[in-house]
Amino acid sequence: MSEAPAVDDQCLFCGIIAGKIPSSKVYEDDHVFAILDINPVSEGHTQVLPKYHAQTILTLPDEYLAAIGPVLKKIALATGVKDFNVIQNNGKIAFQHVNHVHFHVVPKPNEQEGLCITDIEKMWPMKKGVEREVLEKVATRMKENLNG
């Protein structure tokens, strides 16, 4: 069990969770708060927030991170749409615009609505043909970091 939830009085999402800023709440429990996005990409676009102020998942206590997974599933089911994206960004250059961990659940009801990636080569710049030896070195380093 972690310490009491951290709050940042200057944080937009902390203000929403505290009820100081209006929102369209769709879900709440002891660890998680979910609201409709005010600039939705599609109907049902939801922001899922931990009730603990952390800028990235690296500083979010595990109990909050663990509580979010099942809520993402509940929200996705509640949209009534079979296809959807779950997006979570950490850090400015990774396109995080609010410095409070949050996950987007973005319904994809058809080809025109929801997240639209028109130039997959630019949006997902795959490095094709990476040698197995290079992959194994990276895997070894990551395993050492996990165990260290």
Side-chain angles (χ1 to χ4, degrees), residues 57-141:
I57 62 171
L58 300 178
T59 57
L60 183 64
D62 287 349
E63 71 180 88
Y64 288 86
L65 191 57
I68 289 171
V71 175
L72 294 171
K73 180 179 177 180
K74 288 176 185 179
I75 296 298
L77 287 167
T79 69
V81 175
K82 181 182 135 228
D83 298 321
F84 59 92
N85 296 92
V86 175
I87 305 159
Q88 201 280 319
N89 304 319
N90 291 277
K92 187 175 183 177
I93 65 171
F95 307 105
Q96 182 179 9
H97 298 293
V98 178
N99 288 325
H100 184 117
V101 173
H102 58 286
F103 292 73
H104 294 260
V105 177
V106 182
K108 183 72 174 155
N110 54 53
E111 291 289 327
Q112 293 74 40
E113 297 178 77
L115 187 63
C116 294
I117 299 175
T118 56
D119 189 345
I120 192 71
E121 297 298 322
K122 284 187 180 177
M123 298 294 292
W124 197 277
M126 293 181 280
K127 296 177 181 170
K128 297 180 180 180
V130 177
E131 298 291 328
R132 176 65 51 198
E133 182 179 302
V134 172
L135 294 173
E136 288 303 321
K137 284 182 183 179
V138 172
T140 297
R141 184 185 77 241

Side-chain angles (χ1 to χ4, degrees), residues 40-55:
V41 175
S42 59
E43 184 178 289
H45 177 175
T46 304
Q47 302 260 359
V48 179
L49 321 166
K51 287 180 159 181
Y52 185 103
H53 182 80
Q55 289 192 359

